[in-house]
């Protein structure tokens, strides 16, 4: 074992080449709702399993290659302390992934925003896609990456269109 990987293991960091999705090929998200304190919810996505743990907690399970938006918000006596929006693709067995709090094992991050102004802009982008009558979970992965890069830089993402969506569906069908 090289010194670099030993140091990473000591810190609890697993290299991306070693991280793998479990054999089930599913991704589980733990949702929590504690009014005015901690709120975690799914903005879009279609789970294959919805398990209610108690009044405040649920587990949603997503199939491999499905896309969902995960919103995390938390506050304390002084105001908001966390605002996050992640658009995640659930990974298939054998694929590498990024880890996220409350997402097991993790997923491919298509969009990752922090801070309320950016999260609000990300939610508006999702709303614009829905206004076209398109399910945001079916949108091109490249568009979500584009939106991430533009929003991080403080710019508005280019508008998604029906033509772009049709091109994405054809490209996906061809396997390109």
């Amino acid at each position: 074992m090289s010194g670099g990987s030993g140091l990473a293991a000591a810190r609890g960091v697993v290299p991306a080449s070693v991280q793998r999705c479990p054999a089930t090929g599913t991704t589980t998200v733990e949702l929590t709702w504690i009014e005015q304190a901690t709120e975690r919810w799914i903005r879009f996505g279609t789970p294959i399993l919805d398990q209610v743990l108690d009044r405040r907690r649920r587990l949603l399970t997503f199939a491999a290659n499905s896309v969902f938006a995960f919103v995390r918000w938390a506050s304390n006596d002084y105001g908001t302390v966390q605002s996050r929006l992640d658009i995640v693709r659930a990974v298939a067995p054998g694929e590498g992934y990024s880890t996220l709090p409350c997402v097991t094992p993790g997923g491919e991050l298509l969009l990752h925003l922090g801070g309320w102004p950016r999260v609000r802009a990300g939610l508006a982008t999702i709303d614009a896609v829905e206004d076209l009558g398109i399910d945001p979970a079916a949108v091109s992965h490249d568009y979500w990456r584009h939106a991430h890069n533009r929003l991080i830089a403080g710019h508005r993402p280019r508008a998604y269109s029906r033509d772009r969506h049709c091109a994405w569906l054809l490209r996906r069908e061809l396997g390109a």
Side-chain angles (χ1 to χ4, degrees):
M1 182 184 317
S2 68
S5 62
L7 180 60
R11 291 183 182 163
V13 177
V14 180
S17 61
V18 177
Q19 296 177 359
R20 297 290 178 231
C21 185
T24 62
T26 60
T27 299
T28 302
V29 180
E30 182 180 346
L31 304 181
T32 304
W33 189 275
I34 302 171
E35 192 70 34
Q36 301 300 314
T38 301
E39 299 174 4
R40 296 183 191 121
W41 72 92
I42 296 296
R43 174 62 179 79
F44 67 79
T46 306
I48 57 172
L49 180 64
D50 184 350
Q51 180 182 5
V52 176
L53 301 176
D54 56 40
R55 279 183 43 233
R56 297 179 175 184
R57 297 180 308 137
R58 290 170 49 195
L59 293 177
L60 297 181
T61 303
F62 293 89
N65 295 317
S66 62
V67 176
F68 60 92
F70 182 41
V71 181
R72 294 176 284 150
W73 177 86
S75 72
N76 62 18
D77 293 339
Y78 301 102
T80 299
V81 294
Q82 179 188 49
S83 295
R84 300 265 191 254
L85 170 63
D86 299 299
I87 297 181
V88 182
R89 182 185 69 85
V91 294
E95 289 184 306
Y97 57 88
S98 298
T99 59
L100 281 170
C102 306
V103 179
T104 305
E108 177 186 0
L109 288 175
L110 303 177
L111 180 138
H112 178 71
L113 300 173
W116 181 242
R118 287 181 179 154
V119 169
R120 183 176 48 226
L123 293 171
T125 302
I126 294 169
D127 290 341
V129 169
E130 289 178 330
D131 289 345
L132 293 172
I134 299 171
D135 179 10
V139 166
S140 166
H141 300 167
D142 292 336
Y143 179 74
W144 291 127
R145 291 183 190 103
H146 158 77
H148 165 83
N149 290 329
R150 297 285 294 188
L151 292 169
I152 288 296
H155 300 288
R156 290 183 55 196
R158 289 185 207 96
Y160 197 68
S161 66
R162 290 188 179 281
D163 290 338
R164 180 178 281 187
H165 187 64
C166 288
W168 158 246
L169 295 176
L170 289 171
R171 190 176 89 190
R172 189 174 63 182
E173 188 176 308
L174 293 173

